[in-house]
Amino acid sequence: MILDKFSLKGKTAVVTGANTGLGQGMCVALSQAGAAVAGVARRSCEQTRLMIEENGGEFLEIIADLSSIEPIDRIVNEAVEKFGSVDILVNNAGIIIREDAIDYAEESWDKVIMTNQKAVFFLCQAFARQYIKQGSGGKIVNVASMLSYQGGIRVPSYTASKSAVLGLTRALANEWASYGINVNAIAPGYMATNNTNQLRSDEQRSNEILERIPAGRWGTPEDMMGAVVFLCSEASSYVNGFTVAVDGGWLAR
Ligand code: NAP
């Protein structure tokens, strides 16, 4: 039956940036769909753990800083050691540093590209190697952005990295589809999380953005839940290399 294909019972998911915002929402969604969830973060995921365990779900915290690729093998190993195998990777951790392009500092450029682009690629690679070793296929969902499609203002490294995420998602989907690995992405619109604190506190920019969203509101972590469960489930087994916008209609304008 079709709803059974959305079930993640018996699956293991690893979500980066699991302590807050969209990552936390996606951890809860995957758990509600039946997956055991490993949350990767550089600080405590206690709140996420509580949200999952109060509904009877299983949660493992993996503390790792994705400002380098050094912890990536450990992330795979800790998840496999705890759960026996891995089936789903959600590359959600990301940062944004706002500065006029004319003044943009090399350090800010490197920080953003490292976490949003380099760590994403090497996490994809490490999980694909593990999926191939297991012989079971697997799912990878990367978190893209409206700035995978648009230029943005004062965020050149973020735009570069999120445009790369869309391209990488296509490239890796091509190489790995034959192993039963689905690589797709979700492009959130303007969501009310820490990532947009600065934007939302600028009344003029905030109003400009809100006026342009057909749905008439900022998105929330809950808005990501349906798309992530779909892309991590058997229901999307013939969806490869696509980036799904969850944006209240922003791109449709
Ligand atoms: P957020 O609340 O700032 O969450 C970002 C997450 O990434 C946090 O858990 C953060 O951990 C983690 N992270 C950042 N750098 C890390 C590092 N070096 N190592 C490990 N974890 C790290 O913002 P969010 O909106 O939920 O963002 C989630 C994803 O959605 C990001 O990729 C973001 O670019 C993307 N996105 C967001 C929006 C939006 O409007 N909010 C729109 C499009 C795309 P800390 O709490 O420790 O910083």
Side-chain angles (χ1 to χ4, degrees), residues 73-193:
D73 286 343
R74 177 173 60 82
I75 292 169
V76 178
N77 292 341
E78 283 188 30
V80 170
E81 209 167 283
K82 169 79 175 172
F83 298 121
S85 62
V86 283
D87 308 288
I88 293 163
L89 166 67
V90 180
N91 264 317
N92 165 78
I95 54 170
I96 190 162
I97 301 178
R98 297 174 197 279
E99 214 175 302
D100 291 342
I102 204 76
D103 296 322
Y104 212 82
E106 183 182 1
E107 193 192 349
S108 306
W109 177 271
D110 287 345
K111 271 190 189 162
V112 172
I113 297 294
M114 178 59 234
T115 302
N116 293 14
Q117 183 174 335
K118 186 171 173 182
V120 165
F121 171 71
F122 283 100
L123 274 159
C124 289
Q125 184 191 61
F127 275 72
R129 286 177 176 168
Q130 180 64 26
Y131 295 158
I132 291 168
K133 196 158 97 186
Q134 291 171 186
S136 53
K139 304 282 182 179
I140 296 176
V141 175
N142 296 321
V143 176
S145 166
M146 295 296 96
L147 302 191
S148 304
Y149 303 94
Q150 301 177 314
I153 300 169
R154 304 188 68 245
V155 286
S157 59
Y158 188 81
T159 304
S161 67
K162 292 297 185 177
S163 298
V165 165
L166 187 145
L168 260 181
T169 298
R170 289 178 173 146
L172 302 181
N174 291 336
E175 288 203 35
W176 298 339
S178 60
Y179 296 103
I181 300 172
N182 297 81
V183 188
N184 291 293
I186 300 175
Y190 285 82
M191 319 297 269
T193 65

Side-chain angles (χ1 to χ4, degrees), residues 145-150 166 187-189 212-214 243-253:
S145 166
M146 295 296 96
L147 302 191
S148 304
Y149 303 94
Q150 301 177 314
L166 187 145
R212 194 193 178 284
I213 302 173
T243 298
V244 177
V246 175
D247 67 348
W250 176 274
L251 288 180
R253 285 288 291 265

Side-chain angles (χ1 to χ4, degrees), residues 17 19 22 42-43 65-66 92 144 158 162 189 191 193 195:
N19 56 306
L22 305 184
R42 55 186 170 179
R43 65 186 91 217
D65 185 344
L66 292 169
N92 165 78
Y158 188 81
K162 292 297 185 177
M191 319 297 269
T193 65
N195 175 287

